[in-house]
Amino acid sequence: MERDQLQQLFRLLAGNGYRVVGPTVRDGAIVYDDVASIEDLPSGWTDEQDGGIYRLTRRKDEALFGYAVGPHSWKKFLHPPVIRLWRAQREDNGFQVNQETDEPPKFAFIGVRSCELHAIAVQDKVFLTEPHVDPIYQARRQNVFIVAVNCGQSGGTCFCVSMNTGPKVTFGFDLALTEVVEGERHYFVVEAGTEKGEEILGQIETAEADAEARLKAEQVVAQTAAQMGRQLDTTDIKELLYRNYDNSRWDDVARRCLTCANCTMVCPTCFCTTVEDVTDLTGEHAERWRKWDSCFTLDFSYIHGGSVRTSPRSRYRQWMTHKLATWIDQFGTSGCVGCGRCITWCPVAIDITEEARAIRETDTKKGS
Amino acid sequence: MKRRRRPKLAVWKFASCDGCQLSLLDCEDELLLLADTLEIAYFLEASSAVIKGPYDLSLVEGSITTPADAERINHVRRVSKFLVTIGACATAGGIQALRNFRDVDDFIKIVYATPAYINTLEHSTPIADHVKVDFELRGCPINKHQLLEVISAFLQERKPNTPAHSVCVECKLRGIVCVMVAHGTPCLGPVTHAGCGAICPAYDRGCYGCFGPKETPNVRSMGRWLGSLGMSEDEQWRVFHSFNAYAKPFRGFSPEVNEKSNDQG
Amino acid sequence: MSLEEHAMSATADLMTPRVFRVRRKIRELRDVFTLVLEPSGPTEFSFAAGQFNMLYVFGVGEVPISLSGDPGQTQILVHTIRSVGAVTRAINKLKRGDAVGVRGPFGSQWPFEKAFGRDVIIVTGGLGIAPLRPAVHQLLAQRESFGKVSLLYGARTPNDILFQKEIERWRGRLDLEVEATVDSAPPGWRGNVGVVTTLIPRAQFDPATVIAFVCGPEVMMRFSVLELEKCGVSKERIFISMERNMKCAIGFCGHCQFGAAFLCKDGPIIALDRVQTWFGKREI
Amino acid sequence: MKSRTIKVDYLARVEGEGALYVRIKGDRVVDVKLKIFEPPRFFEAFLRGRHYDEVSDITARICGICPIAYQMSAVHAIEDAFEVKVDGQLRALRRLIYCGEWIGSHALHIFLLHAPDFLGYDDVVGMAKDHPEIVQRGLQLKKAGNEIMALIGGREIHPINVRVGGFYKTPSKREFEPLRESLARARDEAIEIVRWTATLPFPDFEQDYEFVALRHQDEYPFNEGRIVSNKGLDITSFEYDDHFTEVHVKHSNALHCILKERGAYAVGPLARFNLNFDKLSPLARHEAHKAGLNEVCRNPFQSIIVRSVEVLYAFDEALRLIDEYEVPDRPAVAITPRAATGYACTEAPRGLLYHRYQIDDQGRILDARIVPPTSQNQKTIENDLWGLVPQHLNLSNTDLTSRCEQSIRNYDPCISCATHFLKLDIERE
Ligand SMILES: Cc1cc2nc3c(=O)[nH]c(=O)nc-3n(C[C@H](O)[C@H](O)[C@H](O)COP(=O)(O)OP(=O)(O)OC[C@H]3O[C@@H](n4cnc5c(N)ncnc54)[C@H](O)[C@@H]3O)c2cc1C
Ligand code: SF4
Ligand code: SF4
Ligand code: SF4
């Protein structure tokens, strides 16, 4: 598929009632937002990432997906940061509660990475596992059309290879693209993952990818896998963390950690929320709002008399142990997909792979 | 609607810029409803009518800087059932608390030709240093939506939703690109109390801390990082010593001497 | 409605409070009261001993509160509440006929099926007896299914003993061992003085098979567990009821995590062996 | 001889804390004091040693009612020191945000502080019961002004987007669309308000004032212009200190500013209007005429009409600026600090606001001087009372007191940079 045909895909999706969202450049970063055409994509841009640092830079070519992942993740569409759950009105001798009835849009995601597909799969487990299904997540999730992209380049903080979540997309997409830029030639190798995907693809005139193109696409992914910016040894990680609740490394990281919650906000799997019960001045009208929350706030663990996790040490420990260990007990998978966002967007460059390594190195009960 | 006696509202001013009480008048859409819900009993900026206390809800703006005000706040407390301080002046001493770090006589000489006429205290102090405060609303200035939230919460006897976490949380909820990570712009968001809606990062500048310290702020680590972004020690000192200079975790900040290796340990 | 849609609207219902009315309010202690609620329209509900509801006071907020009534009674919801903060105070102000929002019931229950044919020891302190009252009712209702049943209860002072009349009634039964103790007593108190753990070694139960139900302040549970273990009760037979902040009560908000457990769905009642990694550690 | 004292311990409906003291012996006024006891906050002192880039945020905190004025005078004075010129759309945006502040501040004064005097109410809430439409209109106007500030500045009080050299971020054209609509609606309302203020009852009272304001060759003044007066003054901000001086009087924590040569003078809407009538927009001029204002208005009570004319003008100007807006290439011009002293006056809603900064080559402030409009008007306010009281000796004490307060409010004194009444003592000798 050529660049122009990608444009056609945008039109088809919009024509089919999808709200097309994808990567675009804003305020010095590649964010996910509405995209009307391929003009809105970050053509020729890439990102340089390291702990606490993200910079947009120009590429030598005009690749559309030549960057890693930015500050946003798809969870902002599937699991909205702020949403009203219901409204209530005081009535004679009581009140009446009205559920929200707004129909969410049908989203088409453009440019979903393998780690992000894994992150979505992780949140599926959180929100779509019986007996309780989150209707807000479900309504958005069930209609989404996913155009995935195989990563052509890894970011400075990525470690999907360690987490077994990339860089090649293997499931969960309707269409998957591999972008190939070679001199003058710039094309995409497309693979359909679902019938929905086939159907849309069928409406675009594309040439069957030849063997060479397929090989090129394979090479792109293999190259990326070899470039990982970070590594994390996951051997027995759960047991490791379970026996290291008292490791002094937690004190060390607490001296640096700002408990600002950025890591949890940017994490594509973090799902925690709080609710705010509000009223207007008349007191006749009440609403409940749900907002993303984080285990780094004091209110998060507040029970009458004080917060359970008052020390920054215990809050960092909660976050990292949840991501890498308790998650496995809860959902049968790691809560970390190796996207590297928490490393890049931590204002003071705290690095989960580094902290995990430090714990492993100082594991007093090694082998026990 | 069950109509109770309307609670009496009083608004008091101490050393301040008036901005926080103006926030109440800036609620253009709610002002008349507010006056209907509460009896505005004492609010000199808005009304000549003064109704006697006691007052159910007192909003106090400004810091204590004169001996007379130190007396007056005791009176305010006595006539107030529920006392809410509004703004950085009232909750942290305000910008004028910068005097607390220097000799106030020098300050007087700089501004006034005849210093003898000026009767002022050495320190500008928050209201809570003088009397019991029931709730503190942060900000320089306060956010009017938060003010309405506090008043609505008071009326319903519930806890106001004014989270004490970092500005970063608001910043991320809005999907703003972090100016510190993406642009290298120093930002106090990670140690600053939420409430403004992360406006500075939304306008492409670093947060300058006008809502004061968040819960458990790690100012030392913040300072170290600001240093690594190129802020001099003097700049670091200044950035923590502005509108909430006298708020404890900021007050005590002193830059660490920059070691060669900018390690994060 | 497809099955999928059904599941969805079912959860949506769990996210929205239903309106109940206060039928009765009973003052138990200075700051503790029992609220009897009834549905404001025809609604079906049932609950199991140990479960809790989220109670919402219009315009004030919502808090988790255990069911403290007899699970056999399906027409009413009974809650026993200590007034400590904004929401519980607001609940305390409710009068007969006032509306309350209810979501629930949520959470796990006391494991009766595991206790069939065995001794049961109940160790509780303070308000911890509230979620155990339904359990006692159920044990008594099926009394012949269990071995020896003992109820050990600690309170701060004689004036803090909750459900005093009922406890007296239970104490009068021959098929139930009831012991109460207080931390400190005025002269004239003829009962036990000391912490509740001191009652454990004296209670009659077979440590090799007994099932223990423990509920109370976290410190109290910690020491009770130590004592039970000392007597030879193994972890998988000790059930504790844990408390953490809760917002959604259906496992989405993350607040109630205690190690790997979501206390709103894996708990509040949980076997000690499932949380032994975390139980007794600080700031979990 | 009978003598009485009019004493107002806390002036109400003014911004900040002040008191009034008037002593009358028979039919002679023997003492007038506008006391300002708003506690001193020492801005000039703690500005020393701060960085030039902090000044606009810090000085904004002098006054919550007109923070933009402080920011504008500060950035212009500093740019003067660094010899930087900010023009084009960045200059236009500064005018635009200033329009927002004029509207917000004037609307506050007209409806919430001053109009209740004319109609005999304690406050706007009382007034709203009998004149609901007027009050609603007023609040909507105020809101429209605040919207301008919030959009460009980030928030209405102590905006965060103003900096030396321009802004941190400039709005896109699209962001102005909804604002444009509400401003267009508000402009129509503002016309009604000019007409309405003209119907208020005004006492006959005129004095021979020296009016001082900025005058710019092309425009009604906000940020630039020469300082001129109806008595021949015509200087630049650089010369301000040569012609004006501040005196510290015992009864006040605010400094009184006077013209070295001629003493008291008046700044503010009346002064601006009288010296710049020709620069108003045709619509504003037209409505001013219809409202019965001539090119020169010497009745300070009519300042309420002048304020509403300025509100109308500000809407007109804001709409013009929005229509001509193009996103500038960069949000701010580059700054290189140098050791120098910079001077600037801008037109705060209440009048001329002078800032002077001496800066070192690192961009640190060595010395700062700030003269707010209210200090400049203080003497004139007292003079008005000297003139007004003898004319109204027949009034009861209560009525005379209200008249005095109303007369003070003519100047919209901002006591934080100068607001209020509690107790009235009448002493008879
Ligand atoms: C599963 C469970 C069962 C409970 N059963 C009972 C009961 O039967 N009787 C009883 O009196 N209390 C019970 N509690 C405790 C009760 O929920 C708290 O006392 C109550 O939330 C306090 O709310 P407040 O607004 O009055 O107090 P505040 O201190 O003002 O609390 C503010 C908010 O923090 C949260 N919070 C505070 N304390 C707790 C807490 N202990 N647990 C969870 N969230 C908390 C709530 O969201 C509350 O609104 C139970 C708690 C849990 C988790
Ligand atoms: S790491 Fe923290 S915020 Fe993220 S899902 Fe776990 S508990 Fe929630
Ligand atoms: S806190 Fe800031 S905005 Fe509020 S009164 Fe003080 S100086 Fe003004
Ligand atoms: S811009 Fe500032 S407030 Fe926003 S996330 Fe970054 S550090 Fe936090």
Side-chain angles (χ1 to χ4, degrees):
Chain A
M1 174 156 105
E2 307 292 324
R3 249 181 96 115
D4 291 350
Q5 286 150 343
L6 189 60
Q7 179 64 52
Q8 229 177 324
L9 175 65
F10 272 73
R11 237 174 287 132
L12 271 171
L13 288 170
N16 276 296
Y18 285 104
R19 187 175 139 198
V20 183
V21 291
T24 189
V25 170
R26 196 216 302 152
D27 298 329
I30 293 165
V31 299
Y32 296 152
D33 207 339
D34 292 286
V35 283
S37 75
I38 62 171
E39 300 305 316
D40 292 335
L41 298 181
S43 167
W45 287 103
T46 190
D47 45 27
E48 283 171 11
Q49 305 192 30
D50 200 349
I53 297 175
Y54 176 101
R55 291 290 180 278
L56 263 193
T57 50
R58 287 308 297 191
R59 290 174 62 90
K60 289 196 198 72
D61 58 28
E62 294 302 303
L64 298 176
F65 300 99
Y67 56 90
V69 290
H72 291 176
S73 72
W74 305 102
K75 86 171 172 186
K76 75 170 192 170
F77 302 109
L78 298 176
H79 176 43
V82 181
I83 192 167
R84 184 168 48 208
L85 294 181
W86 45 256
R87 288 183 261 200
Q89 196 64 35
R90 202 189 283 277
E91 287 182 344
D92 303 339
N93 197 22
F95 57 91
Q96 159 113 31
V97 185
N98 300 309
Q99 285 177 17
E100 291 295 306
T101 49
D102 285 356
E103 281 276 321
K106 255 169 62 177
F107 288 109
F109 294 168
I110 308 288
V112 183
R113 307 306 175 115
S114 178
C115 62
E116 299 183 311
L117 289 173
H118 279 86
I120 293 171
V122 167
Q123 288 214 327
D124 286 352
K125 289 201 173 147
V126 175
F127 292 123
L128 301 179
T129 309
E130 295 293 327
H132 302 314
V133 169
D134 177 14
I136 297 166
Y137 184 86
Q138 190 186 39
R140 286 160 179 73
R141 177 73 178 95
Q142 66 196 359
N143 291 322
V144 78
F145 188 95
I146 294 184
V147 181
V149 173
N150 281 310
C151 289
Q153 173 183 337
S154 88
T157 56
C158 293
F159 54 105
C160 61
V161 170
S162 302
M163 302 315 290
N164 225 347
T165 54
K168 185 170 172 48
V169 301
T170 52
F171 71 98
F173 56 88
D174 296 294
L175 293 176
L177 312 175
T178 310
E179 184 171 34
V180 185
V181 197
E182 276 185 314
E184 290 295 285
R185 200 152 141 60
H186 183 179
Y187 61 92
F188 300 88
V189 178
V190 196
E191 183 192 343
T194 59
E195 277 177 29
K196 247 189 336 190
E198 293 276 4
E199 212 173 289
I200 293 276
L201 190 59
Q203 296 172 51
I204 307 174
E205 274 175 48
T206 50
E208 183 71 23
D210 53 29
E212 197 205 319
R214 280 169 205 264
L215 184 68
K216 277 265 153 10
E218 288 297 326
Q219 280 170 354
V220 164
V221 187
Q223 212 175 37
T224 308
Q227 293 169 344
M228 288 290 122
R230 295 285 197 279
Q231 275 176 353
L232 192 146
D233 176 2
T234 58
T235 325
D236 291 334
I237 186 105
K238 188 178 99 175
E239 291 71 21
L240 174 74
L241 289 171
Y242 279 7
R243 65 176 178 259
N244 276 286
Y245 271 88
D246 296 320
N247 195 306
S248 64
R249 182 70 186 185
W250 302 119
D251 296 315
D252 181 84
V253 68
R255 281 194 283 278
R256 288 168 279 137
C257 174
L258 303 170
T259 60
C260 65
N262 272 306
C263 47
T264 53
M265 297 286 127
V266 294
C267 176
T269 67
C270 271
F271 54 83
C272 290
T273 52
T274 186
V275 292
E276 289 183 353
D277 279 307
V278 298
T279 42
D280 64 358
L281 277 175
T282 62
E284 298 296 294
H285 179 82
E287 299 184 347
R288 177 169 297 165
W289 287 79
R290 186 172 88 177
K291 292 182 164 176
W292 286 356
D293 198 5
S294 163
C295 53
F296 279 99
T297 72
L298 278 184
D299 273 352
F300 189 84
S301 67
Y302 179 85
I303 55 178
H304 188 75
S307 297
V308 175
R309 293 180 212 110
T310 46
S311 71
R313 167 190 198 273
S314 67
R315 283 179 264 160
Y316 186 83
R317 184 179 67 184
Q318 162 62 22
W319 127 260
M320 186 167 127
T321 308
H322 189 211
K323 293 278 99 162
L324 297 175
T326 48
W327 208 293
I328 300 174
D329 272 344
Q330 292 170 344
F331 302 105
T333 146
S334 173
C336 173
V337 296
C339 72
R341 285 181 178 90
C342 59
I343 306 174
T344 300
W345 300 97
C346 171
V348 292
I350 294 172
D351 179 341
I352 190 171
T353 64
E354 186 53 43
E355 296 310 313
R357 184 171 307 120
I359 298 267
R360 197 177 285 283
E361 278 165 10
T362 53
D363 177 14
T364 42
K365 295 162 233 167
K366 215 176 286 180
S368 67
Chain B
M1 181 166 77
K2 280 181 267 178
R3 190 91 204 208
R4 295 169 295 181
R5 177 183 71 84
R6 283 189 306 161
K8 281 190 198 165
L9 171 74
V11 183
W12 309 90
K13 178 185 158 68
F14 292 86
S16 68
C17 78
D18 268 44
C20 289
Q21 22 177 340
L22 178 65
S23 299
L24 195 59
L25 302 177
D26 273 353
C27 300
E28 291 93 1
D29 290 335
E30 296 86 5
L31 191 60
L32 296 177
L33 177 60
L34 190 85
D36 205 38
T37 316
L38 288 151
E39 179 172 19
I40 299 182
Y42 183 91
F43 187 4
L44 285 179
E45 176 158 333
S47 176
S48 316
V50 169
I51 298 165
K52 271 186 63 163
Y55 307 100
D56 299 284
L57 174 62
S58 274
L59 303 176
V60 179
E61 171 191 278
S63 67
I64 306 297
T65 60
T66 66
D69 278 356
E71 279 303 309
R72 189 159 59 100
I73 188 61
N74 286 317
H75 163 75
V76 170
R77 179 68 261 192
R78 273 195 303 275
V79 297
S80 309
K81 292 188 190 152
F82 196 82
L83 190 157
V84 176
T85 58
I86 54 172
C89 296
T91 55
I95 181 83
Q96 56 274 17
L98 281 175
R99 71 169 73 174
N100 306 3
F101 301 86
R102 294 223 225 137
D103 183 348
V104 74
D105 286 339
D106 289 350
F107 272 28
I108 299 177
K109 278 183 228 141
I110 293 170
V111 182
Y112 297 94
T114 326
Y117 297 167
I118 300 295
N119 190 5
T120 184
L121 294 168
E122 237 168 84
H123 284 169
S124 164
T125 43
I127 302 301
D129 281 9
H130 299 262
V131 297
K132 177 176 163 285
V133 169
D134 299 300
F135 187 80
E136 296 188 328
L137 184 62
R138 311 285 212 88
C140 182
I142 55 170
N143 171 310
K144 68 177 182 188
H145 302 292
Q146 284 209 320
L147 178 61
L148 285 173
E149 166 63 13
V150 168
I151 296 174
S152 304
F154 164 81
L155 291 168
Q156 296 305 311
E157 299 177 39
R158 64 173 165 86
K159 257 193 183 165
N161 294 294
T162 54
H165 56 55
S166 66
V167 173
C168 297
V169 173
E170 295 186 292
C171 194
K172 286 289 185 287
L173 288 181
R174 288 183 63 183
I176 296 166
V177 174
C178 176
V179 301
M180 190 142 74
V181 171
H183 312 159
T185 306
C187 179
L188 282 195
V191 293
T192 299
H193 196 290
C196 66
I199 42 182
C200 286
Y203 280 76
D204 227 346
R205 77 178 283 195
C207 163
Y208 59 86
C210 79
F211 273 60
K214 82 175 208 6
E215 59 189 19
T216 66
N218 189 343
V219 294
R220 290 187 65 179
S221 174
M222 187 80 235
R224 245 179 273 142
W225 192 260
L226 294 175
S228 77
L229 289 175
M231 264 197 172
S232 68
E233 283 155 37
D234 174 52
E235 278 174 291
Q236 288 175 44
W237 190 88
R238 278 190 277 111
V239 78
F240 281 108
H241 291 87
S242 62
F243 309 103
N244 291 276
Y246 206 56
K248 269 220 180 77
F250 286 2
R251 191 203 296 183
F253 173 82
S254 63
E256 285 174 21
V257 184
N258 265 342
E259 291 148 36
K260 268 168 276 124
S261 68
N262 236 320
D263 85 330
Q264 303 129 27
Chain C
M1 206 190 270
S2 73
L3 252 179
E4 200 176 55
E5 279 165 337
H6 185 79
M8 184 176 137
S9 75
T11 312
D13 285 344
L14 287 180
M15 291 168 74
T16 352
R18 287 177 292 167
V19 177
F20 276 63
R21 291 195 183 284
V22 177
R23 180 198 276 194
R24 221 149 70 84
K25 212 173 104 185
I26 306 145
R27 198 179 133 128
E28 305 277 5
L29 304 174
R30 189 182 49 80
D31 54 350
V32 179
F33 56 96
T34 292
L35 205 61
V36 182
L37 305 177
E38 58 191 3
S40 65
T43 322
E44 278 173 52
F45 59 87
S46 65
F47 72 94
Q51 287 194 300
F52 66 94
N53 277 326
M54 296 296 285
L55 300 187
Y56 169 71
V57 181
F58 182 85
V60 181
E62 191 183 55
V63 292
I65 302 287
S66 301
L67 284 139
S68 66
D70 181 349
Q73 274 186 302
T74 54
Q75 299 311 306
I76 50 168
L77 293 174
V78 181
H79 292 283
T80 303
I81 304 165
R82 169 165 282 142
S83 165
V84 295
V87 180
T88 46
R89 266 198 301 269
I91 301 180
N92 194 4
K93 280 197 191 141
L94 296 174
K95 289 185 289 296
R96 215 186 124 137
D98 282 351
V100 190
V102 177
R103 295 195 295 126
F106 299 115
S108 59
Q109 48 177 300
W110 296 109
F112 297 103
E113 69 300 338
K114 291 216 168 63
F116 284 143
R118 302 173 185 230
D119 295 348
V120 176
I121 179 170
I122 298 175
V123 187
T124 171
L127 201 57
I129 195 168
L132 277 164
R133 188 163 77 150
V136 175
H137 279 283
Q138 191 162 342
L139 286 168
L140 294 179
Q142 302 165 273
R143 185 65 193 85
E144 62 294 348
S145 312
F146 309 98
K148 291 188 207 100
V149 178
S150 17
L151 169 69
L152 313 180
Y153 177 50
R156 276 218 313 276
T157 70
N159 285 334
D160 294 313
I161 297 180
L162 200 53
F163 308 136
Q164 203 148 18
K165 282 206 198 101
E166 208 163 2
I167 290 178
E168 283 311 316
R169 243 187 359 259
W170 291 339
R171 202 200 286 278
R173 290 180 67 132
L174 296 172
D175 55 359
L176 191 65
E177 179 189 355
V178 177
E179 285 294 339
T181 180
V182 295
D183 296 346
S184 62
W189 164 256
R190 287 191 292 148
N192 299 304
V193 178
V195 290
V196 70
T197 45
T198 58
L199 303 176
I200 296 175
R202 290 192 266 149
Q204 301 203 348
F205 59 89
D206 175 3
T209 57
V210 71
I211 299 286
F213 295 180
V214 185
C215 180
E218 224 165 297
V219 238
M220 171 252 146
M221 294 204 289
R222 201 151 74 226
F223 286 105
S224 304
V225 162
L226 283 176
E227 199 59 44
L228 286 165
E229 290 192 296
K230 225 183 325 172
C231 297
V233 186
S234 61
K235 288 195 167 67
E236 75 279 4
R237 283 183 287 115
I238 302 176
F239 291 82
I240 54 174
S241 175
M242 291 290 300
E243 231 177 83
R244 280 297 178 267
N245 188 297
M246 277 177 199
K247 292 293 176 213
C248 73
I250 45 182
F252 299 151
C253 81
H255 287 235
C256 68
Q257 289 177 81
F258 179 67
F262 285 96
L263 290 176
C264 69
K265 53 179 197 193
D266 305 326
I269 291 143
I270 193 155
L272 186 59
D273 64 334
R274 285 193 56 192
V275 289
Q276 56 182 327
T277 311
W278 307 283
F279 188 74
K281 288 211 169 69
R282 295 181 51 198
E283 300 195 278
I284 295 293
Chain D
M1 205 186 293
K2 243 178 19 192
S3 114
R4 47 186 192 167
T5 304
I6 293 184
K7 202 169 141 213
V8 183
D9 287 345
Y10 283 91
L11 283 164
R13 283 188 279 120
V14 288
E15 294 106 358
E17 308 226 294
L20 165 69
Y21 178 83
V22 179
R23 235 163 73 84
I24 307 156
K25 229 183 201 146
D27 52 6
R28 214 161 49 83
V29 180
V30 295
D31 199 5
V32 171
K33 280 185 197 140
L34 176 62
K35 292 193 187 183
I36 292 195
F37 48 83
E38 173 83 19
R41 298 207 292 152
F42 309 115
F43 277 84
E44 285 94 334
F46 57 67
L47 278 166
R48 291 190 176 178
R50 305 297 294 207
H51 195 242
Y52 76 87
D53 223 5
E54 297 176 286
V55 174
S56 59
D57 291 326
I58 293 178
T59 54
R61 267 69 179 186
I62 292 175
C63 176
I65 325 291
C66 57
I68 289 172
Y70 283 88
Q71 296 189 327
M72 287 301 143
S73 285
V75 296
H76 283 90
I78 294 168
E79 286 159 9
D80 180 48
F82 297 162
E83 294 184 337
V84 175
K85 187 110 194 93
V86 174
D87 47 20
Q89 286 298 340
L90 290 175
R91 178 181 189 273
L93 276 178
R94 285 180 167 177
R95 255 182 105 71
L96 181 53
I97 193 171
Y98 225 147
C99 285
E101 181 158 287
W102 278 23
I103 296 167
S105 174
H106 279 356
L108 171 77
H109 188 258
I110 297 170
F111 297 97
L112 275 69
L113 310 184
H114 212 188
D117 278 337
F118 288 91
L119 300 172
Y121 297 98
D122 287 329
D123 53 40
V124 69
V125 176
M127 191 171 128
K129 297 218 163 65
D130 303 328
H131 306 273
E133 291 119 69
I134 295 286
V135 171
Q136 275 306 344
R137 238 183 215 151
L139 289 170
Q140 289 315 310
L141 291 187
K142 181 167 166 321
K143 191 174 159 194
N146 279 342
E147 283 169 4
I148 303 180
M149 291 187 276
L151 175 63
I152 304 176
R155 61 183 169 201
E156 41 293 60
I157 306 171
H158 307 335
I160 50 91
N161 194 21
V162 171
R163 72 187 302 182
V164 177
F167 296 88
Y168 288 88
K169 187 177 190 169
T170 50
S172 67
K173 283 182 79 134
R174 198 162 45 109
E175 284 173 273
F176 276 121
E177 282 164 23
L179 178 64
R180 198 197 180 286
E181 266 170 48
S182 63
L183 294 182
R185 242 177 293 127
R187 176 172 56 184
D188 295 341
E189 301 281 311
I191 296 174
E192 297 302 315
I193 291 303
V194 175
R195 297 179 185 171
W196 171 73
T197 52
T199 64
L200 295 170
F202 296 103
D204 247 337
F205 181 76
E206 293 204 346
Q207 305 257 80
D208 180 26
Y209 300 101
E210 175 154 7
F211 291 113
V212 174
L214 290 182
R215 179 161 172 89
H216 185 274
Q217 65 216 30
D218 307 320
E219 344 163 288
Y220 203 72
F222 281 95
N223 282 317
E224 288 157 34
R226 293 179 65 83
I227 306 169
V228 302
S229 86
N230 52 337
K231 298 200 172 156
L233 186 76
D234 186 358
I235 59 168
T236 62
S237 300
F238 173 69
E239 298 163 289
Y240 184 93
D241 292 324
D242 299 339
H243 295 265
F244 297 88
T245 188
E246 279 182 313
V247 290
H248 189 188
V249 290
K250 196 169 175 180
H251 62 260
S252 177
N253 282 348
L255 301 163
H256 278 195
C257 191
I258 53 170
L259 266 163
K260 282 181 186 163
E261 285 175 12
R262 295 179 290 274
Y265 64 101
V267 299
L270 220 55
R272 276 194 300 260
F273 177 88
N274 289 337
L275 294 164
N276 295 284
F277 182 81
D278 57 325
K279 302 292 181 215
L280 284 167
S281 64
L283 174 65
R285 261 193 325 249
H286 175 75
E287 287 300 327
H289 276 308
K290 273 181 64 177
L293 291 180
N294 295 317
E295 268 150 59
V296 176
C297 169
R298 284 200 186 78
N299 183 344
F301 289 89
Q302 288 183 325
S303 64
I304 192 168
I305 318 180
V306 174
R307 269 186 203 92
S308 57
V309 170
E310 284 198 336
V311 168
L312 175 59
Y313 169 73
F315 279 117
D316 233 13
E317 181 68 358
L319 285 161
R320 180 185 75 80
L321 292 164
I322 291 174
D323 289 340
E324 292 171 8
Y325 181 67
E326 293 295 336
V327 181
D329 309 334
R330 43 185 184 171
V333 302
I335 301 292
T336 323
R338 58 178 209 123
T341 301
Y343 310 79
C345 281
T346 71
E347 284 288 348
R350 287 159 196 77
L352 202 65
L353 171 58
Y354 173 66
H355 284 214
R356 184 193 74 206
Y357 300 100
Q358 192 193 339
I359 311 174
D360 73 9
D361 56 358
Q362 299 298 301
R364 269 188 306 251
I365 306 300
L366 298 174
D367 183 58
R369 191 164 125 82
I370 295 166
V371 186
T374 298
S375 350
Q376 307 184 65
N377 277 338
Q378 230 162 264
K379 190 113 191 103
T380 300
I381 296 175
E382 290 184 354
N383 284 353
D384 274 7
L385 292 169
W386 284 100
L388 186 76
V389 173
Q391 291 182 12
H392 295 283
L393 287 174
N394 54 331
L395 290 181
S396 72
N397 289 330
T398 321
D399 290 346
L400 183 53
T401 307
S402 323
R403 188 49 22 124
C404 290
E405 290 185 64
Q406 182 184 12
S407 149
I408 294 172
R409 285 187 203 108
N410 287 338
Y411 293 87
D412 188 7
C414 178
I415 296 176
S416 296
C417 30
T419 318
H420 315 240
F421 280 101
L422 199 69
K423 229 167 95 197
L424 168 69
D425 286 336
I426 294 163
E427 279 175 29
R428 290 161 200 277
E429 274 176 26

